[in-house]
Amino acid sequence: MSKASAKIERDKFWERNRKSDGYLLKKTIGSVLYKIARAILLFGLCFLIIQPLLNKISISFMEEQDLYDATVISLPRNFTTSNYKLSSQLMSYWVCLRNTVFVALLVSVIQVSACTLVGYGFARYKFPFKNFWFACVMLSILIPPQTISSSLWLHFTFFDIFGIFKAITGNTLNLRNSMAPYIMMCIGCMGLKSGLYIYMIRQFFRNIPKELEEAAYVDGCGKLKTFIRIMLPDAKPILTSCFLFAYVWQWTDSYYAKLFLGRIQLLPKALTALTGRLGDYYTSIYGTGSMPSAAYEQAMIATGLLMSIIPLLLIYLVAQKGFVESLSQSGIKM
């Protein structure tokens, strides 16, 4: 904008302000102050959220002497990547990463597929005791998984179907240390957070006008074809959101992993065992009785944690458009 145009705009502003008896100037100043206050508040909130992550990133690149140096606060004085190399070695990082990607992907796909069918059924069909079954779904959200952990352990350790396996072989099946319990729980919509996904999908389908289905029925589509050809394409945002939730929760889950997947190496299990493996490493290098300092243990844990969440950050950057879109479209409608 040229100086002449800027002068004309200023003259117009002061002329309008004079005609409004100073109201325009007060409104403009108030708007600017509000924007400044909002920017400061958002910056403070964002800093509170990302500050622990930034602190872990800083610590992960420090050598051990920097951890005890009071003059080193955020930026390492002795920059090093040896923490990442050692953490990768102790965690068997690439093996655990491959296994974690496979398990999380398989479980998430099965879980979202089963929850989509159940959520669509709750949203569109009437059947006996519908409200009762939906109340059971809500209870599965509220009840912590630790409450039923003993029952799950016994059920899958001594698995049987109406006594058939014991009658044929004389023994029950031990399904622990395999993927079978995970898959069976996901198919039955009893996987990790399945109740939440059913609720979200149900709310989304309830917001879709029934006229779309009626028009499909008039055109000759059956219920299954209508669901696949009409409803599922519209549900891509909410399915993307549920898939990301399922993938992230499965990625970071160590409770069910320890309960069922004892032999499969996963990143959450490797991260919890990192301190013990670091102690064994020090003993093998420096002799019996040598242990790492508490500060160095925390630095290694921070490094391992960053290595575990970096793939999740990459996945979110790729899928964040669909995730945000799903949150804006899945309003709560009772």
Side-chain angles (χ1 to χ4, degrees), residues 52-61 67 83-84 87 91 271 274-275 295-310:
L53 181 61
L54 295 177
N55 185 49
K56 286 182 175 12
I57 293 174
S58 174
I59 290 175
S60 68
F61 289 107
L67 301 173
N83 293 339
Y84 286 91
S87 294
M91 295 172 61
L271 186 59
L274 182 58
T275 302
Y296 189 64
E297 286 183 352
Q298 294 302 315
M300 293 300 295
I301 292 175
T303 305
L305 179 63
L306 289 174
M307 295 174 66
S308 299
I309 66 174
I310 284 174

Side-chain angles (χ1 to χ4, degrees), residues 8-125:
I8 293 174
E9 291 295 329
R10 286 197 299 270
D11 292 341
K12 289 182 179 180
F13 174 83
W14 290 112
E15 179 64 22
R16 291 169 57 196
N17 182 65
R18 183 183 61 80
K19 292 180 179 180
S20 64
D21 293 329
Y23 173 77
L24 181 60
L25 180 61
K26 294 179 182 179
K27 182 179 179 181
T28 303
I29 294 175
S31 177
V32 172
L33 292 176
Y34 169 75
K35 292 179 180 179
I36 293 174
R38 183 179 61 183
I40 294 174
L41 180 62
L42 290 175
F43 175 80
L45 291 175
C46 292
F47 181 77
L48 288 176
I49 294 172
I50 66 173
Q51 192 272 337
L53 181 61
L54 295 177
N55 185 49
K56 286 182 175 12
I57 293 174
S58 174
I59 290 175
S60 68
F61 289 107
M62 291 184 183
E63 290 190 356
E64 188 170 2
Q65 59 264 31
D66 290 349
L67 301 173
Y68 302 100
D69 192 342
T71 62
V72 176
I73 300 176
S74 297
L75 298 178
R77 176 166 296 165
N78 300 293
F79 185 88
T80 181
T81 60
S82 59
N83 293 339
Y84 286 91
K85 296 178 182 178
L86 182 56
S87 294
S88 178
Q89 175 186 344
L90 296 178
M91 295 172 61
S92 300
Y93 179 74
W94 297 109
V95 175
C96 292
L97 179 63
R98 183 181 68 248
N99 294 340
T100 306
V101 169
F102 172 75
V103 171
L105 183 62
L106 178 63
V107 169
S108 301
V109 170
I110 296 175
Q111 194 171 12
V112 173
S113 300
C115 291
T116 301
L117 293 175
V118 175
Y120 180 73
F122 275 117
R124 284 300 196 241
Y125 297 107

Side-chain angles (χ1 to χ4, degrees), residues 146-163:
Q146 291 82 358
T147 307
I148 59 174
S149 60
S150 299
S151 299
L152 290 176
W153 190 91
L154 292 172
H155 177 69
F156 289 113
T157 302
F158 307 99
F159 183 78
D160 204 348
I161 301 176
F162 303 116

